[in-house]
Amino acid sequence: MDKILNVIGIILVMIGTVFSLWSILSTKEKYYGTCEWFSNLSDDFKKDKKKVIIGTILIIMGSILQIIGLFL
């Protein structure tokens, strides 16, 4: 049971990390710093904020599962 919780925890942390960093990974270099980028900055921030919150929750849940699995 402890190994299963650790694996689930690691998977959740991995998904949460990728999910919260996806906006940085998907930003096109030629788009960054242009007028179009500045005009869409507030809209992108609202979308990215939700992704970061979800990613952080997944990271916390995964870490908690790993800690529980460690003591079982």
Side-chain angles (χ1 to χ4, degrees):
M1 181 67 177
D2 58 339
K3 291 181 182 181
I4 294 172
L5 284 177
N6 281 332
V7 170
I8 292 172
I10 290 170
I11 291 171
L12 285 177
V13 169
M14 180 188 64
I15 292 170
T17 302
V18 171
F19 200 73
S20 61
L21 294 175
W22 191 254
S23 63
I24 295 171
L25 297 173
S26 65
T27 301
K28 296 178 182 169
E29 292 177 13
K30 63 180 182 177
Y31 177 65
Y32 182 77
T34 61
C35 285
E36 185 179 357
W37 178 75
F38 280 114
S39 64
N40 293 332
L41 194 58
S42 63
D43 295 332
D44 292 342
F45 177 75
K46 291 175 187 174
K47 288 187 259 180
D48 292 342
K49 184 178 179 182
K50 291 178 186 175
K51 291 179 185 177
V52 170
I53 290 171
I54 292 170
T56 303
I57 290 170
L58 287 173
I59 291 170
I60 291 170
M61 287 174 41
S63 299
I64 290 171
L65 284 176
Q66 288 179 359
I67 292 169
I68 292 172
L70 180 70
F71 290 110
L72 285 181

